[in-house]
Amino acid sequence: QVQLVEAGGGLVQAGGSLRPSCAASGRTFSSYVMGWFRQAPGKGREFVAAISWRGGTIYYSDSVKGRFTISRDNAKNTVALQMKSLKPDDTAVYYCAARTWAVTTTPSEYTYWGQGTQVTVSS
């Protein structure tokens, strides 16, 4: 069982940066694949980034590649999403999620979810 709590969202102007993070409970955090997803009003949940348990495999969506960086610290049970060059289209609730086994970009394949943190980018 893993409990996930996101923090670090907020309001930023276009071109700015934010670094939401996700803290996980449980001693087996290092064995979980971690992902970030987002959901804008009226839209479905969208994949953003994912990282394998050791960090050796990382996926990004095309829309954030080159602007966002996912990282994890297994000693601190945390995963972060460094977001730069933010655009108004990045506005959404950002969720972290966890699953075992392979890295995947499909939301339904993740078992555990946080409550989300709001990111708003003004133009």
Side-chain angles (χ1 to χ4, degrees), residues 47-87:
F47 169 74
V48 176
I51 186 167
S52 61
W53 62 283
R54 274 189 175 179
T57 300
I58 293 176
Y59 294 165
Y60 294 102
S61 69
D62 288 342
S63 62
V64 308
K65 197 173 296 182
R67 300 187 298 123
F68 291 9
T69 303
I70 188 172
S71 62
R72 67 187 298 161
D73 185 336
N74 288 340
K76 297 181 178 179
N77 283 12
T78 58
V79 61
L81 186 68
Q82 177 67 55
M83 306 189 296
K84 299 181 179 179
S85 303
L86 283 161
K87 306 174 182 179

Side-chain angles (χ1 to χ4, degrees), residues 12 20 56 58 65 71 80 87-88 95 100 102 105 108:
V12 66
I58 293 176
K65 197 173 296 182
S71 62
K87 306 174 182 179
Y95 299 89
T100 54
T105 64
S108 62

Side-chain angles (χ1 to χ4, degrees), residues 14-31:
S17 300
L18 281 174
R19 189 177 184 272
S21 61
C22 174
S25 64
R27 296 183 178 182
T28 59
F29 172 78
S30 61
S31 65

